[in-house]
Amino acid sequence: MALDTNPAIAAYEAPEKDLYEIGEMPPMGYVPKSMYAWAIRRERHGEPDKSFQVEVVDVPRLDSHEVLVLVMAAGVNYNGIWAGLGVPISPFDGHGAPYHIAGSDASGIVWAVGDKVKRWKVGDEVVIHCNQDDGDDEECNGGDPMFSPTQRIWGYETPDGSFAQFTRVQAQQLMPRPRHLTWEESACYTLTLATAYRMLFGHEPHELKPGHNVLVWGASGGLGSYAIQLINTAGANAIAVISDEDKRDFVMSLGAKGVLNRKDFNCWGQLPTVNTPEYKTWFNEVRKFGKAIWDITGKGNNVDIVFEHPGEATFPVSTFVCKKGGMVVICAGTTGFNCTFDVRYMWMHQKRLQGSHFAHLKQAAAANKLMIERRLDPVMSEVFPWAEIPDAHMKMLKNQHKPGNMSVLVQAPTTGLRTLEDALEARPSA
């Protein structure tokens, strides 16, 4: 299957100004002085409807290896909530800038390039992966850039994320946009998809293989929905865990082999003290959960990999149901950070506990290629206009969002547009 290509950009007329309204398109490659952004400031840390406010700020200036991208749409992730709240840490304690623009996913158009950028040119349509590094240490040159001491997440550990008309990124963050997707579909998948890809394929020798059984927590969310698709694409079996019965059909439609509702079991939270009556009660309930997995995988077949991200509430169970020599791989702690487990089952059954954090460019590009080749669905659930970016984050904070991934429009004037030409035709002035 041929990969998508960028056709020539049609000429259009637009005035040169210092500031453009949201959805108003500058001349191709013209960089205005200022831009609109949803900014967070230290003094207003709190829930997103308080901490996010629209401000007019300077358009970022580029270094030699950096690129300025006109943001057409952006993705909503939990790190935007963390940035607004200032917990578990304030982003200002890291980058020290006077304001913070959240957003670690975007689709857009290359608008300006540094003088040493070779791979990208003005007019290229791109998606952005969120890993940054300085590129000048051993891990970045022959190792794993995610182990670099300079590794940081754009839009969370940097002050210039995607909830603005323009964003500044390193050239190595750019990847070609799947042109069969809309701007908003293109904007919603990179962070969660690349994270899931590294978790499943990035930790030798426990890479996902055909026939493997994988337990997927939070299967209807952004991470889980891509994990199921990747597992299915690889010829392995996803056992999906959901919290509401109305999500069963959704995860089955993505390719899950079986579904478990965690509300049918009572073994969540921190591990009770070993060899107490409470531990015995917990252990019996965990065995009941393990038996439900066997009903899907076959008697005695524990899972090869546990795809973990809730953390505190599920971790003790994950380390028990993983098979001997298997792997529990974890990338987050959405239910809490104080993970506990019975270490006897870890050492005596020689299980691997693996931390995983986003992905480097090669992994992100491999995942993106699957999207370009239409082997994966972006699983976009909702799209919000620019003015409702705080509302989208409030919905996620309260766990009221629909299964899948959320997007917000920035410079794209409406939903359903697939090219710059579409966006130009849809402008109010047009």
Side-chain angles (χ1 to χ4, degrees):
M1 180 183 296
L3 301 184
D4 296 339
T5 57
N6 277 327
I9 301 296
Y12 66 94
E13 294 184 0
E16 295 185 356
K17 302 194 300 183
D18 287 341
L19 177 67
Y20 294 83
E21 297 304 309
I22 296 296
E24 186 181 8
M25 201 69 67
M28 177 62 68
Y30 174 76
V31 179
K33 178 182 177 182
S34 304
M35 65 179 184
Y36 289 103
W38 282 98
I40 298 167
R41 292 187 182 267
R42 186 188 288 272
E43 61 268 22
R44 58 173 182 256
H45 270 320
E47 293 189 351
D49 57 354
K50 170 191 173 185
S51 55
F52 285 63
Q53 291 188 21
V54 173
E55 298 186 20
V56 175
V57 300
D58 291 342
V59 174
R61 302 302 176 193
L62 299 182
D63 202 346
S64 59
H65 289 93
E66 293 179 331
V67 174
L68 189 71
V69 175
L70 180 84
V71 179
M72 298 298 285
V76 179
N77 295 291
Y78 212 90
N79 65 10
I81 296 170
W82 286 335
L85 293 172
V87 296
I89 61 171
S90 170
F92 299 102
D93 293 337
H95 58 62
Y99 58 85
H100 179 83
I101 302 170
S104 298
D105 260 328
S107 63
I109 302 166
V110 173
W111 216 250
V113 298
D115 58 15
K116 293 185 179 179
V117 175
K118 306 299 182 185
R119 293 183 60 203
W120 304 98
K121 64 182 185 303
V122 172
D124 286 344
E125 297 184 5
V126 295
V127 293
I128 303 171
H129 80 74
C130 64
N131 179 58
Q132 288 192 357
D133 56 65
D134 290 351
D136 58 356
D137 57 59
E138 294 88 345
E139 293 293 351
C140 294
N141 294 277
D144 185 335
M146 295 306 297
F147 298 158
S148 169
T150 66
Q151 187 276 324
R152 55 195 177 269
I153 296 298
W154 160 74
Y156 183 58
E157 295 170 297
T158 75
D160 42 13
S162 59
F163 299 141
Q165 289 173 295
F166 294 92
T167 188
R168 175 180 58 192
V169 298
Q170 295 178 337
Q172 60 87 13
Q173 291 179 251
L174 301 183
M175 302 183 295
R177 184 177 76 87
R179 292 179 60 86
H180 67 283
L181 299 180
T182 63
W183 290 108
E184 60 271 16
E185 288 172 332
S186 300
C188 77
Y189 69 82
T190 302
L191 186 150
T192 44
L193 174 57
T195 300
Y197 187 95
R198 180 180 174 93
M199 290 175 74
L200 294 170
F201 296 102
H203 302 292
E204 185 183 8
H206 289 81
E207 303 102 329
L208 180 66
K209 298 178 179 63
H212 273 179
N213 295 308
V214 184
L215 185 70
V216 180
W217 293 105
S220 66
L223 281 168
S225 61
Y226 290 131
I228 292 172
Q229 292 187 79
L230 290 168
I231 292 162
N232 195 44
T233 300
N237 307 307
I239 297 91
V241 185
I242 57 174
S243 57
D244 294 299
E245 201 56 36
D246 59 4
K247 297 174 180 176
R248 181 178 294 269
D249 289 344
F250 173 75
V251 296
M252 289 298 289
S253 72
L254 295 176
K257 184 177 181 180
V259 184
L260 303 176
N261 188 334
R262 64 178 175 85
K263 290 183 178 177
D264 294 336
F265 308 90
N266 185 26
C267 47
W268 315 122
Q270 292 191 343
L271 183 77
T273 301
V274 174
N275 294 333
T276 63
E278 293 79 13
Y279 179 85
K280 182 178 179 180
T281 301
W282 173 87
F283 188 79
N284 288 337
E285 197 69 13
V286 174
R287 294 189 70 178
K288 176 184 171 184
F289 183 76
K291 169 64 166 54
I293 293 175
W294 288 1
D295 290 342
I296 300 168
T297 62
K299 186 175 181 179
N301 290 322
N302 289 336
V303 295
D304 299 89
I305 298 173
V306 180
F307 186 92
E308 250 283 0
H309 51 94
E312 187 171 316
T314 57
F315 197 77
V317 177
S318 294
T319 57
F320 181 81
V321 300
C322 182
K323 80 173 201 178
K324 289 184 178 182
M327 177 176 69
V328 178
V329 57
I330 185 167
C331 71
T334 55
T335 65
F337 308 121
N338 294 316
C339 291
T340 53
F341 61 98
D342 188 337
V343 74
R344 295 173 297 177
Y345 291 94
M346 183 64 67
W347 96 66
M348 294 181 71
H349 292 177
Q350 301 177 76
K351 302 177 185 182
R352 176 179 183 179
L353 170 57
Q354 176 66 51
S356 194
H357 185 48
F358 189 59
H360 54 59
L361 173 57
K362 188 168 184 179
Q363 292 163 342
N368 193 56
K369 184 178 179 183
L370 293 174
M371 191 67 74
I372 288 174
E373 292 179 345
R374 310 186 189 200
R375 300 180 189 274
L376 304 175
D377 188 290
V379 202
M380 186 184 68
S381 59
E382 297 178 83
V383 186
F384 296 81
W386 165 262
E388 296 179 13
I389 285 179
D391 299 331
H393 286 81
M394 288 297 297
K395 207 167 187 179
M396 179 174 280
L397 174 64
K398 296 179 179 180
N399 199 28
Q400 296 172 345
H401 54 301
K402 297 178 182 178
N405 300 277
M406 294 190 289
S407 278
V408 295
L409 299 181
V410 183
Q411 285 297 100
T414 187
T415 59
L417 309 178
R418 287 181 166 80
T419 64
L420 173 60
E421 287 73 19
D422 288 345
L424 293 170
E425 292 177 5
R427 289 177 298 170
S429 59

